[in-house]
Amino acid sequence: MRKQLIAGNWKMNTTIPESLELIHQLKERVSSSCPAEVALIPPFTSLSVAAAALRGTGIQLGAQNLSHLAGGAVTGEISGAMLVSVGCRYVLIGHSERRKLFQENDALIHLKLKMALSEGLWPILCVGESWEEREAGQARDVIKNQLEKSWNHFTPMEMRKTTIAYEPVWAIGTGKNAQPEQAQDIHEHIRALVDSQFGAELAQEVRIIYGGSVTPENSSSLLIQPDIDGALVGGASLEANSFYAIIEAVH
Ligand code: PEP
């Protein structure tokens, strides 16, 4: 039985005091009996204080990126070991904003995944098609290609620790979410791809979460789909009430 994951990606928002305020508001609401696993993914600068503030709450911490290199003369980068030492469990890899704004390709994403896993982090691998690709009927092939290049040479254990986030690029930050049936269709496709590569048992274990304009209003209809195992939430995670309403949509 897969436990749903609701992860809030704060992107390049929140100073340290703002992060602490948001955590304070969330901590009051998220109880230990919450049926979902909750993860917060603040900017690097807030990780340390967030780890301290979240201690004992059961809320997990994640980072938005990591270097594919282990360390050394790599100015401006953050290593997997640093993320582990600050208290991160999760790390986002392959977010469409990194693919688009920082030219991250599938080969680099593969290296980042391997680095994250070798350091003991649990990656959240983001994949998704553009609007043009969807319109051209290529969504399934685009996602298959992204996944196969990403999990190249993965062991079953590495796959088990990886969460896949289906994030159609046209739905991120646009207010235009995928319809629940559209999302379910792609999630089913992704699970079938995991099945063909790693077997049926592992395919049933792997979490596949949806991201792209998830709000309190649309979260129930998305999260009720059989192959949607949670949500990666951007904009709506920056406000405690709306993020908590999405967490509450998990049953
Ligand atoms: C995201 O950044 O991963 C995301 C899904 O953003 P939003 O919820 O704002 O569309």
Side-chain angles (χ1 to χ4, degrees):
M1 176 72 177
R2 302 180 296 269
K3 188 170 188 177
Q4 298 223 356
L5 171 67
I6 307 294
N9 172 18
W10 295 359
K11 311 194 188 197
M12 198 169 73
N13 295 294
T14 66
T15 59
I16 290 175
E18 288 165 350
S19 298
L20 286 174
E21 178 57 26
L22 191 45
I23 290 171
H24 173 70
Q25 292 175 14
L26 281 168
K27 261 172 42 171
E28 285 182 347
R29 295 175 169 87
V30 179
S31 75
S32 52
S33 59
C34 175
E37 182 178 350
V38 177
L40 302 182
I41 311 182
F44 288 131
T45 45
S46 289
L47 286 175
S48 180
V49 293
L54 291 175
R55 201 159 293 138
T57 64
I59 300 174
Q60 299 293 340
L61 188 63
Q64 296 175 18
N65 186 25
L66 88 168
S67 173
H68 64 293
L69 299 168
V74 202
T75 303
E77 290 289 274
I78 303 280
S79 75
M82 292 170 186
L83 297 180
V84 171
S85 77
V86 82
C88 288
R89 164 171 287 186
Y90 291 104
V91 60
L92 290 180
I93 298 182
H95 192 281
S96 66
E97 287 153 15
R98 298 225 44 100
R99 291 179 191 259
K100 183 166 173 227
L101 300 172
F102 301 97
Q103 290 78 47
E104 291 196 7
N105 59 24
D106 291 317
L108 180 64
I109 287 162
H110 172 68
L111 293 177
K112 289 188 176 205
L113 284 165
K114 291 298 270 190
M115 180 54 73
L117 288 160
S118 74
E119 293 292 351
L121 290 160
W122 294 10
I124 300 175
L125 165 64
C126 304
V127 296
E129 81 286 0
S130 67
W131 182 250
E132 295 71 32
E133 289 163 341
R134 172 159 285 267
E135 285 287 273
Q138 295 166 349
R140 288 165 163 263
D141 288 343
V142 167
I143 287 154
K144 181 172 191 280
N145 190 39
Q146 288 173 340
L147 285 172
E148 287 179 349
K149 287 189 174 141
S150 302
W151 69 38
N152 195 11
H153 300 311
F154 258 26
T155 64
M157 186 53 83
E158 288 175 327
M159 189 65 236
R160 199 167 274 123
K161 288 183 178 160
T162 302
T163 295
I164 298 168
Y166 168 53
E167 295 212 303
V169 179
W170 47 272
I172 298 177
T174 59
K176 197 168 76 175
N177 64 288
Q179 290 310 300
E181 310 71 41
Q182 280 178 319
Q184 165 58 25
D185 179 54
I186 297 291
H187 282 235
E188 201 179 325
H189 171 59
I190 293 173
R191 204 173 301 286
L193 291 168
V194 179
D195 183 336
S196 64
Q197 188 78 19
F198 298 94
E201 202 181 312
L202 211 155
Q204 286 309 313
E205 280 179 43
V206 165
R207 267 196 304 213
I208 307 170
I209 64 176
Y210 169 79
S213 296
V214 176
T215 62
E217 290 72 35
N218 61 30
S219 49
S220 297
S221 58
L222 286 159
L223 294 172
I224 207 163
Q225 300 299 319
D227 287 295
I228 298 187
D229 306 319
L232 181 54
V233 186
S237 71
L238 290 169
E239 208 270 316
N241 285 335
S242 56
F243 190 54
Y244 186 64
I246 294 168
I247 296 168
E248 272 198 307
V250 173
H251 293 293

